[in-house]
Amino acid sequence: MRVFVPFDARDPKTRLAPLLDEGERRTVARAMLRDVLAALREMSHDRCVLATEPIDCDCAVRVDERPLTPAVNDALTSVDGPAAVVMADLALATPAALGRLFDPDAGVTLAPGRGGGTNALVVRTEDFRVDYHGLSYRDHVTAAQDAGADVATVDSFRLSNDIDDPSDLVDVLVHTDGHTASALRDLDLSLALTDDGPAVTRSP
Amino acid sequence: MRVFVPFDARDPKTRLAPLLDEGERRTVARAMLRDVLAALREMSHDRCVLATEPIDCDCAVRVDERPLTPAVNDALTSVDGPAAVVMADLALATPAALGRLFDPDAGVTLAPGRGGGTNALVVRTEDFRVDYHGLSYRDHVTAAQDAGADVATVDSFRLSNDIDDPSDLVDVLVHTDGHTASALRDLDLSLALTDDGPAVTRSP
């Protein structure tokens, strides 16, 4: 199946700014993309990075400068048959977790992200369009029903954890050991217990 | 299997204070407990609320005023054979999600919580003790290995979402329709799109 991985190559992960400068955010974002692509490669999927500008990687790249929603919808309509969209910041994704995304035979399969979002989806129906604005999980369920498609939902902690804020990085260091965890360690970042609980902090 | 559900009956969910006053926090905390107990009842487990003071509910109650870790460890040692611990604030828990917790035959099965925590566990080995302080998931893996037990991990979004902060309530209203969602609606709380993204806010 063709799997699109949308990636902001210009100014990725701005909400990590309290912890990482612009160059570091770029490094960590690329490491997360590599982890997602590596997990998909193990599953022999036909991977395509949907990037805002040309990037080097070990699979196909489709460049689309537009915002996420129109870029993904155009990509989906470019494919005959089923297609999938997996966010590039799912640093906790594993082949096992992603396998559960591709298992159901539903018209639309959704992997919820925290806070009402949609972190991954598989589309096996026509006439379904994404809309990532706002409470996208709920909107995608409605859009699937409007397209006459049945909906399956994947209950996965690993796929629910898109990395947006510094606090999200805790689970990267607890639950993974891939490119992202290595990149964080190379930046002298590590787990610490703070007054606010576990956190990823810069070594002094 | 005996399932302990630890519950702070005194001053629950203080981090919800930006949105809910003390009485409302108590109401929502009790609603979350009811949702967790209802999901466990459907699975015919032998439920026991491990409460800091006596409370009314439709199952056994064990009162222990001490902090979470010693209270849970005493409860676990009070049982011959396997036992489980499921946090009372897993408002997204369903029988299906909890079923995956009880499926593995491992010595210790862990359901990670966001931020390095442990939201639920099943213990089928002797000599395993919990420690909920800090990065408890990592510590529980080590403790299980030290006890000579194999470890299984449940990859569940629903079990990873303990409700601590107001932002956590978004997924309650998106993904559930139980006692907690009703309690929130009764308090005139609903989903809204704010400048910071989806949120649960009080109707004006």
Side-chain angles (χ1 to χ4, degrees):
Chain A
M1 186 182 305
R2 172 138 279 205
V3 183
F4 294 102
V5 182
F7 181 69
D8 178 358
R10 283 183 291 221
D11 188 17
K13 298 289 125 198
T14 51
R15 282 160 57 188
L16 293 177
L19 189 66
L20 304 174
D21 69 29
E22 190 181 335
E24 293 169 342
R25 294 200 299 275
R26 203 177 295 272
T27 299
V28 171
R30 287 301 292 264
M32 293 197 286
L33 174 65
R34 288 179 68 192
D35 281 332
V36 170
L37 292 176
L40 289 168
R41 186 180 51 216
E42 277 195 47
M43 307 170 70
S44 305
H45 283 297
D46 172 23
R47 303 162 303 152
C48 177
V49 176
L50 181 58
T52 51
E53 58 186 48
I55 62 165
D56 286 329
C57 66
D58 69 345
C59 67
V61 176
R62 178 184 168 107
V63 175
D64 193 324
E65 297 183 353
R66 291 176 299 167
L68 182 62
T69 292
V72 166
N73 280 327
D74 260 23
L76 288 175
T77 53
S78 75
V79 176
D80 282 334
V85 183
V86 176
M87 292 301 156
D89 58 355
L90 303 188
L92 275 69
T94 57
L98 286 165
R100 293 174 52 212
L101 175 69
F102 294 98
D103 271 348
D105 196 31
V108 176
T109 303
L110 302 170
R114 263 184 301 116
T118 309
N119 283 353
L121 50 84
V122 175
V123 184
R124 291 187 172 85
T125 187
E126 293 184 8
D127 301 325
F128 174 83
R129 298 292 173 269
V130 300
D131 182 353
Y132 285 104
H133 179 73
L135 292 157
S136 69
Y137 176 82
R138 204 173 56 172
D139 295 340
H140 287 148
V141 170
T142 303
Q145 290 166 341
D146 289 348
D150 55 331
V151 178
T153 299
V154 182
D155 177 29
S156 168
F157 165 60
R158 289 183 173 275
L159 300 184
S160 74
N161 254 22
D162 47 327
I163 307 299
D164 288 322
D165 297 307
S167 62
D168 299 329
L169 295 172
V170 170
D171 285 318
V172 174
L173 290 180
V174 171
H175 295 285
T176 78
D177 196 22
H179 299 294
T180 312
S182 290
L184 295 175
R185 285 192 292 263
D186 287 348
L187 294 169
D188 290 326
L189 294 163
S190 59
L191 291 166
L193 286 182
T194 72
D195 291 343
D196 294 329
V200 169
T201 61
R202 191 88 62 168
S203 306
Chain B
M1 187 185 303
R2 172 140 277 205
V3 183
F4 293 101
V5 182
F7 181 69
D8 178 357
R10 283 183 289 220
D11 188 18
K13 298 290 125 197
T14 50
R15 282 159 58 187
L16 294 176
L19 189 66
L20 303 174
D21 69 26
E22 189 180 337
E24 293 168 343
R25 294 200 300 276
R26 202 178 294 271
T27 299
V28 171
R30 285 301 292 264
M32 294 198 285
L33 174 65
R34 287 179 68 192
D35 281 333
V36 170
L37 292 177
L40 289 168
R41 187 181 47 215
E42 278 195 46
M43 309 171 70
S44 304
H45 283 299
D46 171 23
R47 304 162 301 153
C48 177
V49 176
L50 181 58
T52 51
E53 56 187 48
I55 62 165
D56 285 330
C57 66
D58 69 344
C59 67
V61 177
R62 178 185 168 107
V63 176
D64 192 324
E65 298 183 354
R66 290 175 300 166
L68 182 62
T69 293
V72 166
N73 280 328
D74 260 22
L76 288 175
T77 52
S78 74
V79 176
D80 282 334
V85 183
V86 176
M87 291 301 156
D89 58 356
L90 302 187
L92 275 71
T94 57
L98 286 165
R100 294 172 54 212
L101 174 71
F102 295 98
D103 271 349
D105 195 32
V108 176
T109 303
L110 301 170
R114 263 184 299 118
T118 310
N119 283 353
L121 51 82
V122 175
V123 184
R124 290 186 172 85
T125 186
E126 293 185 7
D127 302 325
F128 174 83
R129 297 292 173 269
V130 301
D131 182 352
Y132 285 103
H133 180 73
L135 293 156
S136 69
Y137 176 82
R138 203 172 57 171
D139 295 340
H140 287 149
V141 170
T142 303
Q145 290 165 341
D146 289 349
D150 55 333
V151 178
T153 299
V154 183
D155 176 29
S156 168
F157 164 60
R158 289 184 174 276
L159 300 185
S160 74
N161 254 22
D162 47 329
I163 307 299
D164 287 323
D165 296 309
S167 63
D168 299 330
L169 294 172
V170 170
D171 285 319
V172 174
L173 290 181
V174 171
H175 294 286
T176 78
D177 196 24
H179 299 294
T180 312
S182 292
L184 295 174
R185 286 193 292 263
D186 288 346
L187 294 170
D188 290 325
L189 294 163
S190 59
L191 292 165
L193 288 181
T194 71
D195 291 344
D196 294 329
V200 169
T201 62
R202 188 89 59 168
S203 306

